[in-house]
Amino acid sequence: MTKPQAPSANLVGEELPEDRSKVLFLDCLLLVERLHRRMLDVIKETLDREGLSELNAVQALLIYNIGDSETTAGELKTRGYYLGSNVSYNLKKLVELGYLSHERAEHDRRAVRISVTDQGKQVCRVIDTLYEQDLEELLSDQLISVEDLRGLRRNLRNIERYWSDKLRFSL
């Protein structure tokens, strides 16, 4: 059985025939993957422009996703944001660079609580500003609407829930 190939490049707004739902589905999956990589490229360019070139985009997102909370590496992995060795390496590096602080939890000396330092909060502000500017431009250029975003979020969450249930219940 040959694996169907998703179109390598669809023009913006190009419609696929209804009977090609598998191709459409695969194209959507590839787009999500490409969008994530492109977002990382935009973040890295922004970091470099802001004089934060010692950080990579994954590390900046890690800092941003921790934000004002205090967490553990295990909690970050459980949330599904990062893989085990990846998060451990990046957390260690970010502590060394001064963007994160860590200390042993009082109730369980094995657990290490991680929080963002003042230096890390600067990174959060940079990423937050980038996201705000991108959203403002997308909306003002009418490339997407708030209603489009609601529908997109609903659909992506449905797919995430479907795959999570599939894994959880071995469907």
Side-chain angles (χ1 to χ4, degrees):
M1 177 177 203
T2 60
K3 180 179 164 187
Q5 296 294 313
S8 57
N10 283 339
L11 299 174
V12 174
E14 181 181 331
E15 293 295 325
L16 294 172
E18 291 287 331
D19 61 340
R20 303 204 46 210
S21 58
K22 185 172 185 180
V23 173
L24 181 60
F25 179 66
L26 293 175
D27 191 43
C28 288
L29 294 178
L30 289 173
L31 277 168
V32 168
E33 188 178 347
R34 280 199 315 261
L35 283 170
H36 179 68
R37 283 195 309 266
R38 189 58 40 114
M39 178 190 70
L40 293 175
D41 292 342
V42 169
I43 289 171
K44 181 57 179 157
E45 182 182 281
T46 302
L47 292 171
D48 291 347
R49 195 172 47 251
E50 293 290 326
L52 299 166
S53 57
E54 73 276 7
L55 291 174
N56 65 44
V58 170
Q59 291 167 336
L61 281 177
L62 185 59
I63 294 167
Y64 184 79
N65 287 327
I66 294 170
D68 290 331
S69 65
E70 188 178 86
T71 188
T72 67
E75 290 168 351
L76 290 169
K77 288 183 273 188
T78 303
R79 287 188 215 164
Y81 293 140
Y82 309 96
L83 300 174
S85 60
N86 186 17
V87 73
S88 299
Y89 168 80
N90 282 316
L91 289 174
K92 181 180 177 190
K93 187 77 172 165
L94 291 169
V95 168
E96 289 172 5
L97 291 170
Y99 291 98
L100 297 177
S101 65
H102 70 291
E103 66 179 61
R104 297 256 174 231
E106 296 273 332
H107 64 283
D108 181 356
R109 301 300 294 164
R110 297 170 296 171
V112 176
R113 303 298 297 170
I114 301 158
S115 58
V116 175
T117 64
D118 288 341
Q119 185 179 351
K121 288 179 182 174
Q122 176 194 0
V123 175
C124 291
R125 287 189 293 274
V126 167
I127 301 300
D128 197 53
T129 300
L130 171 65
Y131 286 163
E132 285 178 11
Q133 289 170 345
D134 285 352
L135 176 61
E136 184 178 309
E137 288 176 28
L138 286 166
L139 292 172
S140 68
D141 292 346
Q142 298 179 349
L143 296 171
I144 199 162
S145 69
V146 173
E147 195 55 42
D148 291 336
L149 287 171
R150 283 188 186 109
L152 179 60
R153 180 181 63 185
R154 182 186 64 248
N155 291 327
L156 291 172
R157 284 186 188 238
N158 286 343
I159 293 170
E160 179 189 31
R161 188 175 311 115
Y162 167 77
W163 281 334
S164 295
D165 290 348
K166 190 172 189 169
L167 290 170
R168 185 178 307 122
F169 303 117
S170 299
L171 300 175

